[in-house]
Amino acid sequence: MTDDRNAEAAHEGDDRGTRGTAATKPRYGMAAIVAFMTRTAWHVRKSVLILCLLEGVAAAGTGILDLFVAPTILGTIERHDPLSTTVAAVVAFTAGLMLCGALTGWVEMNTLFGRIEVRMSLLRRISGKQASTSYPNTLDTRFNEAGAKAKDCCASNQSAGEGIWHTLATLLTNVLGFAAYLTVLSGLDLWMVVLVLATTVASYALSHRLNAWGYRHRDEERRSKKRLRYLFDTGTGRDYAKDIRLFGLGRWIDELWDGAMRVYRGFLTRREGIYMWANIADVALTAARNGIAYAYLIAMALDHGLTAARFLLYFTAVTGFATWMEGILDQCSQLHRQSIDLSMLREFLEWPEPFRFDDGEPLAKASDDHYEIRLDGVSFRYQGADRDVLHDVNLTIWPGEKIAIVGLNGAGKTTLVKLVAGFLEPTEGGVLLNGVDIRRYNRRDYYELFEAVFQDFSVLDATVAQNVAQRVDGIDPVRVRRCLNQAGLSDDVAALPHGIDTQIGRQIYEDGVELSGGQTQRLMLARALYKDAPILLLDEPTAALDPIAEDAIYRRYRDMAAGRTSLFISHRLASTRFCDRILYMEHGRIVEDGTHESLLAQGGRYARLFEVQRHYYETDADVAGRKGDDDDAR
Ligand code: ADP
């Protein structure tokens, strides 16, 4: 069920992203992007800019020397110059060509690492933005889509984030070559120049129009590839291995793959058909241009005594001139495409932050660690949703209070906790810390007040101790062990081959151990305790535990929460008896608020739900109680 949802989400996200791309115009044009990349290279590695200039000049030098070499040598022979003049010309051209070739080779060898470094610096900025952006952005499909595209821009040596340097160098080569060849052609009839210009522009315009088809349809291609990649990953991934063997999932995936492949093949066939016409048009226009140039130059040779050397020079210039022009137009459109991609990257880096970080007020630590959090008329609606999830919630969490939040699925419990923790911004109302709206503070300082266990785990492939302390150096092993003990994981960790230094996970370490869901949840609990923050948030911290382990955690709960304020979401009402106050939520509202006893006496929804669960918990608690007593005795 979850897997199906993921699959749908992947496609939906893709479609949304496509529409988003088609609808949004890039904010930055070519000049702004070239300036942005130049600034980036200037800060990261200046040599990239110098080498880019040299690459352009060296390649243009080769092209210009190529134009003159044969006509010049032929000229010395035609004019019956002394042999030494011919030899000198050959030597000079050879030396010049060798110099340009050597320079080109040297630049190619030395520019790669600098360009990669600049690209990596962009990637670092992208991942930095993703890691530190305001939490609501991480829920925004447009933000995530823009992030994925920004990463695509820096994915390889050919991507816009690195390819732009080659484009700029090639553009420079073509501009220099164009200027040199134009100077030569100015010695010819003006009509010849116009003819060359006109046929080149026509051929370019046509091929550009047809080639642009591929670019316009790149999202269609991306979508096809994404579908194929998703199916491939699903079919080969470990997550689905059991279901593939147990159900007909393998056959189903094959059918989906065939369907996706058919769509992709159809796209490629359409594209190749269109590109074929671009090539045919280009060949026809080139043949026309060269034919007319030949006829004109032959007429000049016959009627006006044009020498063989000049004939060769002009003919090379006519055909070469078109190549330079095409080069300029090609590189401009390449630069245009890369600018669109890089504009997306830049827009992503500048994506607005709804929260204040370094520009917010620093949050001074309260000397007594007493923090009062108040939700003042808070309503909340997720982006894109058509109704509020929380409605006008007023709640004060007093310092040191232990609050349980209960209610059926979808009541808004997790959302409420996320608002308290400052992950979401209320649509209406505000969250106040000791009477001050938290929007004023640096949000990172605010997060320092919380330790938490959420439903989704974030365990890295690293040691147990590192996962608890969230660092590599400066880990306090005594504190790690104490927290593992509080979280009820000491015995399990002691049984591991290297205790707290055992590697978890097998993605990086072949001999890493894999923890069960319950063990991972307790590891997350130990991590929360290690942070030793004044407010503890627990979002169903025992959902993956068996009833005995769960009860053991509840028994320790008072200890864990001692000296802290705590907010505790639970489905199991038996656990709430350890709390000072219980909030019962329904449809985004707190409908009952009181102690376990007062709510039972009230005989409302909490009491009814408790009654439903009572039998189950009595049975579990009896068993667990006995086990818990055994644990305590040990
Ligand atoms: P609970 O924790 O009580 O089960 P939640 O706070 O997780 O409830 O969810 C409350 C409502 O908000 C549900 O209807 C859920 O579908 C919706 N919701 C939760 N997360 C999101 C999200 N990221 N985007 C849109 N709706 C969401």
Side-chain angles (χ1 to χ4, degrees):
M1 181 69 188
T2 314
D3 302 336
D4 289 348
R5 271 206 309 266
N6 285 346
E8 281 164 22
H11 295 304
E12 275 170 24
D14 198 22
D15 290 337
R16 268 198 297 276
T18 310
R19 282 201 291 274
T21 312
T24 31
K25 220 171 143 290
R27 191 185 307 155
Y28 297 104
M30 272 197 299
I33 288 302
V34 171
F36 166 75
M37 289 303 286
T38 308
R39 271 198 307 277
T40 308
W42 185 259
H43 290 302
V44 178
R45 195 167 270 269
K46 295 184 182 57
S47 62
V48 166
L49 301 173
I50 299 161
L51 291 175
C52 187
L53 272 178
L54 283 180
E55 184 185 338
V57 171
T62 306
I64 294 167
L65 288 174
D66 265 344
L67 169 66
F68 287 103
V69 60
T72 308
I73 294 167
L74 190 62
T76 63
I77 296 167
E78 264 186 340
R79 288 192 302 274
H80 304 292
D81 285 347
L83 184 63
S84 58
T85 312
T86 309
V87 172
V90 170
V91 170
F93 275 108
T94 310
L97 284 168
M98 278 173 68
L99 193 72
C100 289
L103 191 60
T104 303
W106 182 81
V107 169
E108 264 173 23
M109 253 172 27
N110 287 282
T111 199
L112 185 64
F113 289 108
R115 289 180 185 181
I116 291 176
E117 220 177 315
V118 173
R119 175 164 62 87
M120 288 300 155
S121 80
L122 289 171
L123 267 180
R124 261 202 309 278
R125 284 171 68 184
I126 294 166
S127 51
K129 175 78 177 180
Q130 271 169 330
S132 64
T133 192
S134 309
Y135 185 78
N137 280 347
T138 66
L139 305 178
D140 185 340
T141 323
R142 288 175 311 127
F143 176 84
N144 292 325
E145 195 65 31
K149 285 186 177 171
K151 269 195 194 143
D152 279 353
C153 282
C154 299
S156 71
N157 306 106
Q158 283 74 40
S159 322
E162 190 175 325
I164 190 167
W165 302 118
H166 184 65
T167 307
L168 288 173
T170 315
L171 184 60
L172 177 64
T173 303
N174 284 291
V175 168
L176 294 176
F178 176 82
Y181 277 47
L182 187 65
T183 314
V184 170
L185 283 182
S186 59
L188 276 185
D189 191 333
L190 182 69
W191 285 111
M192 244 350 270
V193 180
V194 172
L195 170 82
V196 176
L197 276 174
T199 51
T200 310
V201 171
S203 150
Y204 178 81
L206 196 64
S207 76
H208 178 72
R209 218 179 119 71
L210 297 177
N211 284 332
W213 185 92
Y215 193 67
R216 278 201 311 278
H217 291 76
R218 71 194 190 286
D219 278 322
E220 191 178 333
E221 184 177 17
R222 230 173 134 236
R223 211 160 41 237
S224 274
K225 282 185 174 169
K226 190 171 171 179
R227 251 170 218 153
L228 287 169
R229 200 164 40 230
Y230 168 76
L231 290 169
F232 179 81
D233 291 347
T234 308
T236 54
R238 206 175 116 186
D239 290 350
Y240 294 82
K242 289 198 291 299
D243 291 354
I244 284 176
R245 281 151 187 79
L246 205 59
F247 300 103
L249 198 59
R251 204 179 45 247
W252 181 27
I253 289 176
D254 282 347
E255 285 164 13
L256 289 172
W257 173 273
D258 288 344
M261 224 22 218
R262 254 196 312 279
V263 173
Y264 188 42
R265 237 180 269 123
F267 168 81
L268 291 179
T269 312
R270 256 159 57 223
R271 190 176 68 181
E272 292 318 310
I274 280 167
Y275 284 178
M276 195 180 71
W277 284 111
N279 290 335
I280 290 175
D282 190 44
V283 168
L285 282 165
T286 308
R289 177 176 60 235
N290 289 354
I292 294 172
Y294 260 131
Y296 170 78
L297 290 173
I298 289 170
M300 290 278 285
L302 294 178
D303 298 347
H304 300 92
L306 190 72
T307 63
R310 288 260 130 201
F311 181 92
L312 188 58
L313 178 71
Y314 286 136
F315 187 71
T316 316
V318 165
T319 44
F321 182 71
T323 312
W324 293 123
M325 257 198 77
E326 271 168 14
I328 291 175
L329 296 171
D330 263 345
Q331 297 313 312
C332 280
S333 78
Q334 173 76 345
L335 191 60
H336 175 68
R337 282 199 291 267
Q338 289 172 332
S339 298
I340 292 175
D341 289 349
L342 288 167
S343 174
M344 177 74 78
L345 184 152
R346 198 172 159 189
E347 286 168 47
F348 176 74
L349 293 177
E350 293 166 1
W351 201 278
E353 292 294 342
F355 295 164
R356 294 167 84 177
F357 292 104
D358 293 335
D359 54 338
E361 278 178 35
L363 179 56
K365 200 169 160 6
S367 52
D368 51 3
D369 253 4
H370 273 199
Y371 296 98
E372 176 208 293
I373 295 177
R374 185 147 56 87
L375 267 59
D376 190 15
V378 167
S379 297
F380 181 77
R381 179 180 298 203
Y382 283 100
Q383 201 190 35
D386 54 4
R387 59 188 174 84
D388 287 354
V389 168
L390 293 182
H391 312 273
D392 193 25
V393 174
N394 289 291
L395 166 71
T396 304
I397 303 166
W398 303 103
E401 235 191 341
K402 285 153 202 35
I403 295 181
I405 307 177
V406 296
L408 301 181
N409 276 345
K413 304 181 293 295
T414 301
T415 307
L416 181 82
V417 167
K418 282 184 177 163
L419 278 154
V420 168
F423 287 131
L424 302 173
E425 186 79 350
T427 318
E428 272 171 54
V431 179
L432 313 182
L433 176 72
N434 295 338
V436 180
D437 196 312
I438 64 167
R439 276 175 272 230
R440 267 184 41 193
Y441 295 122
N442 179 340
R443 200 52 70 106
R444 276 187 211 105
D445 289 354
Y446 185 70
Y447 293 145
E448 283 304 308
L449 304 181
F450 296 92
E451 51 187 31
V453 180
F454 293 112
Q455 288 174 17
D456 33 7
F457 309 140
S458 49
V459 179
L460 286 197
D461 270 27
T463 66
V464 173
Q466 285 177 21
N467 269 293
V468 172
Q470 300 284 289
R471 60 177 64 209
V472 175
D473 298 319
I475 298 175
D476 177 351
V478 177
R479 193 160 134 201
V480 169
R481 289 199 178 86
R482 192 180 64 233
C483 296
L484 288 169
N485 189 34
Q486 276 184 303
L489 197 59
S490 302
D491 291 349
D492 296 32
V493 171
L496 296 177
H498 307 290
I500 61 169
D501 294 319
T502 307
Q503 302 287 353
I504 302 177
R506 297 238 171 96
Q507 294 197 49
I508 297 181
Y509 304 101
E510 278 177 14
D511 58 346
V513 297
E514 299 211 28
L515 300 183
S516 69
Q519 287 172 325
T520 311
Q521 202 151 27
R522 276 179 281 171
L523 184 73
M524 295 292 92
L525 202 53
R527 176 179 78 169
L529 296 172
Y530 189 94
K531 190 178 172 193
D532 198 18
I535 305 168
L536 173 64
L537 303 175
L538 301 172
D539 187 352
E540 295 197 57
T542 57
L545 302 186
D546 59 60
I548 293 174
E550 183 186 9
D551 197 69
I553 293 272
Y554 294 150
R555 281 164 188 278
R556 291 189 182 95
Y557 176 62
R558 279 226 158 250
D559 281 351
M560 286 192 282
R564 297 177 164 97
T565 306
S566 74
L567 218 59
F568 174 20
I569 299 182
S570 181
H571 270 126
R572 318 210 175 170
L573 300 196
S575 62
T576 57
R577 63 180 185 267
F578 300 97
C579 296
D580 303 326
R581 186 149 67 111
I582 296 159
L583 309 175
Y584 186 89
M585 290 193 70
E586 196 174 79
H587 304 311
R589 289 193 165 83
I590 298 172
V591 291
E592 290 176 21
D593 180 348
T595 62
H596 177 66
E597 288 73 23
S598 71
L599 292 186
L600 283 188
Q602 200 175 307
R605 291 174 169 80
Y606 176 79
R608 272 205 298 283
L609 198 59
F610 189 78
E611 198 51 42
V612 172
Q613 295 190 355
R614 184 206 287 279
H615 173 71
Y616 168 73
Y617 281 111
E618 270 176 357
T619 317
D620 276 346
D622 290 345
V623 180
R626 283 197 298 280
K627 171 74 167 59
D629 292 344
D630 293 349
D631 284 352
D632 291 346
R634 259 187 273 146

